[in-house]
Amino acid sequence: MSKRQVPASVKDERLIEKRREQMVKGAVNLFKEKGFHRTTTREIAREAGFSIGTLYEYIRQKEDVLYLVCDTIYDEVRERLEQDIDTKQGTIESLKRAIANYFKVVDEMQDEVLVMYQEVKSLSKDALPYVLQKELEMVGMFEKVLEGCVNKGEISLTKSEQKLCAHNIFVQGQMWAFRRWALRKMYTLEEYIALQTDLLLKGISKK
Amino acid sequence: MSKRQVPASVKDERLIEKRREQMVKGAVNLFKEKGFHRTTTREIAREAGFSIGTLYEYIRQKEDVLYLVCDTIYDEVRERLEQDIDTKQGTIESLKRAIANYFKVVDEMQDEVLVMYQEVKSLSKDALPYVLQKELEMVGMFEKVLEGCVNKGEISLTKSEQKLCAHNIFVQGQMWAFRRWALRKMYTLEEYIALQTDLLLKGISKK
Amino acid sequence: MSKRQVPASVKDERLIEKRREQMVKGAVNLFKEKGFHRTTTREIAREAGFSIGTLYEYIRQKEDVLYLVCDTIYDEVRERLEQDIDTKQGTIESLKRAIANYFKVVDEMQDEVLVMYQEVKSLSKDALPYVLQKELEMVGMFEKVLEGCVNKGEISLTKSEQKLCAHNIFVQGQMWAFRRWALRKMYTLEEYIALQTDLLLKGISKK
Amino acid sequence: MSKRQVPASVKDERLIEKRREQMVKGAVNLFKEKGFHRTTTREIAREAGFSIGTLYEYIRQKEDVLYLVCDTIYDEVRERLEQDIDTKQGTIESLKRAIANYFKVVDEMQDEVLVMYQEVKSLSKDALPYVLQKELEMVGMFEKVLEGCVNKGEISLTKSEQKLCAHNIFVQGQMWAFRRWALRKMYTLEEYIALQTDLLLKGISKK
DNA sequence: CATGAATGAGGTTTCATTCAT
DNA sequence: GATGAATGAAACCTCATTCAT
């Protein structure tokens, strides 16, 4: 499944990219504050720095903005993950680093993660699969890291456990954004990383 | 923080309860399908089986419906949890049962949990705290169970770990609802319960 | 043109009178504050001390309340005028007394006068004539007093001037209510009475 | 106290002026017939010749239309008064002319005057002062004329009497609009002017 | 005779989208 | 390629009135 195209009336590809960047940037700010549905297209245009007419030269519908926003955020998160993760090393240490780095990315992009997290469901049946696919790919990255560790004999997990574990890691990262109302009162980011890593590795039962 | 009151024009308390039940039931169905914002008040009224005028005899604003929906769902989930959970026993077995029961409740109420999960953020600043409070109370129940186990020496966790672990359990239950698009393809409920419980207890690192 | 009947479902005449009194009293308070259109029938019922259902046992439409209000106020103003005015005496003194008394009545009933003044126009084409008729009757009282003075040779006015002068007096009384925002800052009631009487009698041109 | 601004979404000032003119014109017609409260925003838009959406590009609330209507009418009345009145001459003749002209303006604009007269009270507490201020300015114009006459020794009035007299003149003009149901049956405009001027100057008591 | 729950027409307002300039 | 005025469907909400109890 490749990238979903959002048609524009304008031809100049360079310009399209530029305008859409402005658009997404403005939209994230607004969605953060009021959510997708309470944000108007006029506000998006104004925040992006151009007119409502221009906005519609680069999208067909309001929902396209949401898609672009989600798409952009996922791309950025993934890109930053890819830089940090070494899926081949297969050491506990590399797993820990992957988790820590991912949690840090979430922390730095918490607004974006939150927005995306809360608004994906507003995407049309048409656009949703593309975004979910991206999520699966990211989960897949953690799966790879785990697999590496298993292969190296550092940990022992069935395929099923690997997959679930990858989902857990992914969700625990998002948790830091969408449950910050509760977690932030209790932990710093570093504590959160340390605790989650520990629980993940050792479990809770006595040895 | 006690229950937040939604004022009604109608006086008969019995009737209020009955009508609101109809209302919530209808609303959940609609929210499930189209989300809060895409659902109109007229649709809610129709689905509930009465007129738009009558709807507004029992609420002041559309948002009140959302609050009542969230409130009702939380109450039901908690009620069912309370029946099943034994916070005093302090055995690993009782912890497992608590988790399994909670996950089963989430499974049975997956539509409701999903709705609530996705729409809480649409609540006004005014209503949100009441709902978050309820969530914390439920997390607190798992904390108690964990504490019981610690006290009995069955497991060893710091206070901090207990709290985080309770959050994790709670979120992993919700996960079964909000990530069913991915999880359902891989696991049955029973498998999910078994795997999560195992990971939680033993962790992933080799003994 | 006799009194316009507002039909009631209830038979007991005594009761009708009592309920309508309550109704008018409550309504005047509300109209004073928010005007006829912004006042709801429910509010009228509540302020009157009974239920919306009961209200509609004594009127057919909301507008009937307005008619009853106007009717009642006019009757009270006229009644109080009739007590004070001596149309036969024909002295300047009696004219002065009539004016002073009328202005005092307006002052005491300023809320009612204001309400009536501002809301008559909301009466239906059907009810309006009855109320205007009452107004003409009151103007007629001043006309009589003026006529008395003319007949006694105290003042000299043509029939036309008498009529207009009566209107002027009547409106200058209402003025005290509907322009109180301006007049009250400049005059006490006594000053207002004295000045208006003086201007009326002597005019402004040098003798 | 300067002009109260009604915000528009449209930027082109020329266009705003034009559209608001259409709007006010249509609204006066409708208010004349059914009053402010019984006129719908849709009707106003249709009468003005554009869509409901366009209407709301030029106002924020229905009440803004009423404010613009009142504002416009006052401005027009005043403008026409200013053209005619010579406040400096100080002759009885100029006073008579001022009154006659004012009464003629009221006669020509009787619908507008009536509308404004009956609906000002529906203005919000926010907008009312601006309109009352305009009324005071117009009263002030008559005050000036009277003052001129006093200074020239043509008439003799105390300051207090001048002020009241100005109010009387102003109200007697409006009377011709709001009591036309009674006055028109008795007098032509010319008769009304002649009689009121006469009564004003000479009073009613015998010389 | 009194009540108040139910109704739904209709009010005001918003806002995604278009299109002439 | 950019603008922003115009549109009107459709949203939320109110409230006069009815009628079964």
Side-chain angles (χ1 to χ4, degrees):
Chain A
M1 184 161 8
S2 67
K3 216 181 185 72
R4 179 168 172 267
Q5 293 304 324
V6 174
S9 311
V10 168
K11 304 289 168 203
D12 184 339
E13 286 294 339
R14 192 77 53 83
L15 197 50
I16 292 182
E17 185 141 4
K18 181 182 151 200
R19 290 278 182 256
R20 285 189 177 168
E21 249 171 54
Q22 296 175 274
M23 199 162 82
V24 167
K25 204 165 183 174
V28 167
N29 281 335
L30 293 165
F31 293 174
K32 191 188 308 181
E33 218 174 306
K34 341 169 46 173
F36 173 67
H37 283 104
R38 295 200 218 275
T39 300
T40 70
T41 50
R42 272 147 132 109
E43 287 170 322
I44 295 171
R46 191 183 329 122
E47 190 86 5
F50 39 71
S51 73
I52 181 68
T54 302
L55 181 71
Y56 274 87
E57 295 285 316
Y58 297 91
I59 54 161
R60 281 165 318 167
Q61 308 173 63
K62 186 187 176 190
E63 208 225 79
D64 288 343
V65 180
L66 181 56
Y67 174 74
L68 290 172
V69 163
C70 292
D71 199 55
T72 307
I73 297 177
Y74 264 117
D75 279 352
E76 187 172 345
V77 173
R78 184 175 47 186
E79 206 172 321
R80 295 178 64 170
L81 270 196
E82 276 168 353
Q83 288 175 0
D84 294 332
I85 279 187
D86 182 348
T87 54
K88 307 205 186 96
Q89 212 171 329
T91 60
I92 294 282
E93 217 39 53
S94 73
L95 173 62
K96 281 184 175 176
R97 264 204 317 275
I99 292 173
N101 283 327
Y102 168 51
F103 283 19
K104 278 173 192 160
V105 169
V106 170
D107 185 65
E108 279 169 40
M109 299 181 63
Q110 53 185 291
D111 285 329
E112 284 81 0
V113 170
L114 197 57
V115 161
M116 210 202 46
Y117 196 73
Q118 296 183 325
E119 305 293 354
V120 215
K121 66 124 200 344
S122 297
L123 285 172
S124 66
K125 296 275 177 269
D126 188 39
L128 193 57
Y130 290 83
V131 176
L132 295 186
Q133 176 58 25
K134 293 213 166 172
E135 199 166 311
L136 279 187
E137 284 167 20
M138 290 175 61
V139 174
M141 291 170 64
F142 289 108
E143 229 180 298
K144 281 259 176 61
V145 178
L146 288 167
E147 201 181 15
C149 294
V150 170
N151 291 342
K152 285 268 159 81
E154 293 283 314
I155 62 177
S156 88
L157 289 172
T158 66
K159 263 273 178 285
S160 261
E161 286 172 328
Q162 271 170 47
K163 278 186 186 299
L164 185 55
C165 201
H167 275 276
N168 281 351
I169 293 171
F170 187 73
V171 169
Q172 279 166 13
Q174 291 187 324
M175 254 177 81
W176 183 246
F178 70 77
R179 289 183 84 78
R180 59 179 162 192
W181 56 273
L183 299 176
R184 276 293 174 99
K185 288 178 189 158
M186 309 191 289
Y187 316 111
T188 64
L189 172 62
E190 287 69 31
E191 288 165 356
Y192 183 72
I193 292 174
L195 282 170
Q196 286 289 32
T197 310
D198 231 49
L199 282 176
L200 177 76
L201 290 174
K202 303 205 293 239
I204 63 176
S205 60
K206 277 197 145 153
K207 277 125 289 180
Chain B
M1 184 164 6
S2 68
K3 219 182 184 69
R4 178 166 172 267
Q5 293 302 326
V6 174
S9 308
V10 167
K11 292 172 180 174
D12 184 337
E13 288 291 343
R14 191 80 52 85
L15 198 52
I16 293 181
E17 184 140 5
K18 182 180 150 197
R19 292 276 179 264
R20 286 190 175 168
E21 251 169 53
Q22 296 176 270
M23 199 162 85
V24 168
K25 206 165 184 174
V28 167
N29 281 334
L30 293 164
F31 293 175
K32 192 188 308 180
E33 218 174 306
K34 341 168 47 172
F36 172 68
H37 282 105
R38 292 201 218 275
T39 301
T40 71
T41 51
R42 282 228 233 286
E43 286 170 324
I44 296 172
R46 191 184 326 125
E47 189 85 5
F50 37 71
S51 71
I52 181 69
T54 299
L55 180 70
Y56 276 89
E57 292 284 308
Y58 295 92
I59 54 161
R60 278 166 320 170
Q61 306 174 63
K62 186 186 176 191
E63 207 226 79
D64 287 342
V65 180
L66 182 56
Y67 174 73
L68 290 173
V69 163
C70 292
D71 198 57
T72 306
I73 296 176
Y74 264 117
D75 279 351
E76 188 171 343
V77 173
R78 183 173 50 183
E79 205 172 322
R80 295 178 63 170
L81 268 197
E82 275 168 353
Q83 286 174 1
D84 292 333
I85 279 188
D86 182 348
T87 55
K88 305 196 189 102
Q89 215 172 328
T91 60
I92 295 280
E93 216 41 50
S94 73
L95 172 63
K96 283 183 172 177
R97 261 204 318 276
I99 293 174
N101 283 326
Y102 167 52
F103 284 19
K104 278 175 193 160
V105 169
V106 170
D107 184 64
E108 281 168 37
M109 298 180 64
Q110 51 185 292
D111 285 329
E112 284 82 359
V113 170
L114 196 58
V115 161
M116 209 203 47
Y117 199 71
Q118 296 183 326
E119 305 293 354
V120 213
K121 68 124 197 348
S122 297
L123 284 173
S124 66
K125 295 274 177 269
D126 187 38
L128 194 57
Y130 289 83
V131 175
L132 295 185
Q133 177 59 23
K134 292 212 166 173
E135 201 167 308
L136 279 187
E137 284 167 21
M138 290 175 60
V139 173
M141 291 170 65
F142 289 109
E143 228 179 301
K144 280 258 176 60
V145 178
L146 290 168
E147 200 182 17
C149 295
V150 170
N151 291 343
K152 285 268 158 83
E154 294 284 314
I155 61 178
S156 86
L157 290 171
T158 66
K159 265 272 181 284
S160 260
E161 288 171 327
Q162 269 170 48
K163 278 187 186 302
L164 184 56
C165 200
H167 274 276
N168 281 351
I169 293 171
F170 187 73
V171 168
Q172 280 166 12
Q174 291 187 325
M175 254 178 82
W176 183 244
F178 70 77
R179 289 181 85 77
R180 61 179 162 194
W181 56 274
L183 299 176
R184 274 297 172 97
K185 288 178 189 157
M186 308 192 289
Y187 317 111
T188 64
L189 173 61
E190 285 69 31
E191 289 164 356
Y192 183 72
I193 292 174
L195 284 170
Q196 286 289 34
T197 309
D198 232 48
L199 284 175
L200 177 75
L201 289 173
K202 303 204 293 240
I204 63 175
S205 60
K206 275 195 146 156
K207 275 126 290 182
Chain C
M1 184 161 7
S2 67
K3 213 181 187 73
R4 176 165 173 272
Q5 293 304 324
V6 174
S9 310
V10 168
K11 303 291 166 199
D12 184 339
E13 286 292 342
R14 191 78 52 84
L15 197 52
I16 293 181
E17 184 140 5
K18 181 182 150 199
R19 291 278 181 257
R20 286 189 176 168
E21 250 171 52
Q22 298 175 273
M23 201 161 80
V24 167
K25 204 165 185 174
V28 167
N29 282 334
L30 292 165
F31 292 174
K32 192 188 306 181
E33 221 173 304
K34 339 168 48 174
F36 172 68
H37 282 105
R38 293 200 219 274
T39 301
T40 70
T41 50
R42 271 147 132 109
E43 287 170 323
I44 296 171
R46 189 182 333 121
E47 189 86 3
F50 39 71
S51 72
I52 182 68
T54 301
L55 180 71
Y56 274 86
E57 295 285 317
Y58 296 92
I59 54 161
R60 279 167 319 167
Q61 307 171 65
K62 186 187 176 190
E63 207 225 78
D64 288 342
V65 179
L66 181 56
Y67 174 72
L68 290 172
V69 162
C70 292
D71 199 56
T72 306
I73 296 176
Y74 264 117
D75 279 352
E76 188 171 344
V77 173
R78 182 172 51 183
E79 206 173 321
R80 294 178 63 169
L81 269 196
E82 276 168 353
Q83 287 175 2
D84 292 334
I85 279 188
D86 182 349
T87 55
K88 311 213 183 83
Q89 214 171 326
T91 60
I92 295 281
E93 216 41 51
S94 72
L95 173 63
K96 282 183 172 176
R97 260 205 317 278
I99 292 173
N101 283 326
Y102 167 53
F103 283 18
K104 279 174 191 159
V105 169
V106 170
D107 184 65
E108 281 168 37
M109 298 181 62
Q110 51 184 292
D111 285 329
E112 284 82 359
V113 170
L114 197 57
V115 161
M116 210 202 47
Y117 196 73
Q118 295 183 326
E119 304 295 353
V120 215
K121 67 125 199 341
S122 296
L123 284 171
S124 66
K125 296 273 176 273
D126 188 38
L128 193 58
Y130 290 83
V131 175
L132 295 185
Q133 177 57 24
K134 292 212 164 172
E135 201 167 308
L136 279 188
E137 284 168 21
M138 290 174 60
V139 173
M141 292 171 64
F142 289 108
E143 229 179 298
K144 281 257 175 60
V145 177
L146 288 168
E147 200 181 17
C149 294
V150 170
N151 290 343
K152 286 265 158 79
E154 293 283 316
I155 63 179
S156 88
L157 290 172
T158 66
K159 263 273 178 282
S160 260
E161 287 172 328
Q162 270 169 47
K163 279 187 185 301
L164 184 56
C165 199
H167 274 277
N168 281 350
I169 293 171
F170 187 74
V171 169
Q172 280 166 11
Q174 292 187 324
M175 254 177 82
W176 183 245
F178 72 77
R179 289 182 85 77
R180 60 178 159 190
W181 57 274
L183 299 175
R184 275 294 173 99
K185 288 178 188 158
M186 308 192 291
Y187 316 112
T188 64
L189 172 62
E190 286 69 30
E191 289 165 356
Y192 183 72
I193 291 173
L195 282 170
Q196 284 290 34
T197 310
D198 231 49
L199 283 176
L200 177 76
L201 290 174
K202 304 205 292 240
I204 63 175
S205 60
K206 278 197 145 152
K207 275 125 287 181
Chain D
M1 183 161 11
S2 67
K3 216 180 186 72
R4 177 167 174 268
Q5 293 303 325
V6 174
S9 308
V10 167
K11 292 172 180 175
D12 185 337
E13 287 291 342
R14 191 80 51 84
L15 198 51
I16 292 181
E17 185 140 3
K18 182 181 151 198
R19 292 276 179 261
R20 286 189 175 168
E21 250 170 52
Q22 296 176 270
M23 198 163 83
V24 167
K25 206 166 186 173
V28 168
N29 281 335
L30 292 164
F31 292 174
K32 192 189 305 181
E33 217 174 306
K34 342 168 47 172
F36 173 68
H37 282 104
R38 293 200 218 276
T39 301
T40 70
T41 49
R42 281 221 237 288
E43 286 170 325
I44 296 172
R46 192 184 326 125
E47 190 84 5
F50 36 70
S51 73
I52 182 67
T54 300
L55 179 70
Y56 276 89
E57 292 283 309
Y58 295 91
I59 54 162
R60 277 168 321 170
Q61 305 174 62
K62 187 186 176 190
E63 208 226 79
D64 288 341
V65 179
L66 182 55
Y67 173 73
L68 290 172
V69 162
C70 292
D71 199 56
T72 306
I73 297 176
Y74 264 117
D75 278 352
E76 188 172 345
V77 173
R78 183 173 48 182
E79 206 172 321
R80 295 178 64 170
L81 270 196
E82 275 167 354
Q83 287 176 1
D84 294 332
I85 278 188
D86 182 349
T87 54
K88 304 199 188 100
Q89 215 172 326
T91 61
I92 294 281
E93 217 41 50
S94 73
L95 173 62
K96 281 184 174 176
R97 260 205 318 276
I99 293 174
N101 282 327
Y102 168 51
F103 283 19
K104 278 175 192 159
V105 169
V106 171
D107 184 64
E108 279 168 39
M109 298 180 63
Q110 52 184 293
D111 285 328
E112 284 82 359
V113 170
L114 196 57
V115 160
M116 211 202 45
Y117 197 72
Q118 296 183 325
E119 305 292 356
V120 213
K121 67 121 194 356
S122 297
L123 285 172
S124 66
K125 296 272 176 271
D126 188 39
L128 194 56
Y130 290 83
V131 176
L132 295 185
Q133 176 58 23
K134 292 213 164 170
E135 199 167 310
L136 279 187
E137 283 167 21
M138 290 175 60
V139 173
M141 292 170 65
F142 289 109
E143 230 180 298
K144 280 257 175 62
V145 179
L146 288 167
E147 200 180 14
C149 294
V150 170
N151 291 343
K152 285 266 158 80
E154 292 283 315
I155 62 178
S156 87
L157 289 172
T158 66
K159 263 274 178 283
S160 260
E161 286 172 328
Q162 270 170 48
K163 279 187 185 301
L164 185 55
C165 201
H167 275 276
N168 282 349
I169 293 171
F170 187 74
V171 169
Q172 281 167 12
Q174 291 187 324
M175 254 177 83
W176 182 245
F178 71 78
R179 289 181 83 79
R180 60 178 163 193
W181 55 274
L183 299 176
R184 276 292 174 102
K185 287 179 189 158
M186 309 191 290
Y187 316 111
T188 64
L189 172 62
E190 286 69 30
E191 288 166 358
Y192 183 72
I193 292 174
L195 283 170
Q196 286 288 35
T197 310
D198 232 50
L199 284 175
L200 177 76
L201 289 174
K202 304 205 292 242
I204 63 176
S205 59
K206 276 197 144 151
K207 277 125 287 183

